[in-house]
Structures are given as structure tokens and as C-alpha cells.
Amino acid sequence: MPIIHYVEANGAEYEAEVSVGQSVMQGAVDNMIDGILGECGGVCSCATCHCYVDEDWFDKVGPPEGSERLMLEMVPAPEPTSRLSCQIKVTADLDGLVVRLPASQY
Ligand code: FES
């Protein structure tokens, strides 16, 4: 099962096994990682799952598109590698993915 690394804004690091096909958001919620809320359950309508994809991984993960890109205009402190983690589906290729979490989702 792929391992996803989550780095909270305070530097605390967690790793979680996340099944292929699950989202990076669901992996965080299932493992009680605080920095991702996922209030809408993953339907791209709350933006409380904002994360920063590590630069070394961004090309593999890819940029946001469509409604996700529009939602990211509303998050606090967006960065060039910002994504909504509910829209990143875990694949075998993403084993080892590193995402940083913002200081706040509001
Ligand atoms: Fe709501 Fe990602 S969980 S937009």
C-alpha cells in the first residue's frame, strides 16, 4: 500500500498507508492527521483539504484543473504547488508522496 507523508505546519511529520484509489484527504482523515479537515467529504466544495504538494512531487501529481482550480482561489495562503487533497487520488506511483499542510484551513 502506498505511503503518504504529511508534514504539518508546525513541522510534525506523519506517514500513513493509503489504499490505491483513495484520496490523500481521506488518508489524512482516516489517520486523524489534524491539518486536513475534509468537511465536504471530498466533493470539491469546501477547500478545507488544502495542501502543498512537495515540489519534487508536483510534476507527478499534476496541477489543479476545473472547479478545483477555482476553489483554490479562496484558500488562505495559496502557493504554486497548492492542491485540494481530496482531488489527489493515490496511485502506486505516488508511494512516498510528501504533502505539507497549511497552518489553517480557514
Ligand atoms: Fe472538501 Fe476537499 S474535502 S474540497
Side-chain angles (χ1 to χ4, degrees), residues 21-72:
Q22 272 202 318
S23 70
V24 170
M25 177 279 286
Q26 197 62 52
V29 170
D30 288 350
N31 288 280
M32 293 177 281
I33 295 169
D34 286 339
I36 289 180
L37 303 179
E39 289 179 349
C40 76
V43 296
C44 201
S45 64
C46 72
T48 63
C49 63
H50 177 211
C51 71
Y52 308 112
V53 175
D54 184 271
E55 287 182 5
D56 290 343
W57 284 91
F58 192 68
D59 283 348
K60 191 170 272 188
V61 172
E65 296 179 354
S67 58
E68 181 188 353
R69 191 162 43 80
L70 295 175
M71 292 294 289
L72 281 166

Side-chain angles (χ1 to χ4, degrees), residues 83-96:
R83 289 290 311 264
L84 295 180
S85 59
C86 71
Q87 301 302 302
I88 304 172
K89 297 295 180 221
V90 172
T91 64
D93 280 355
L94 294 185
D95 183 29

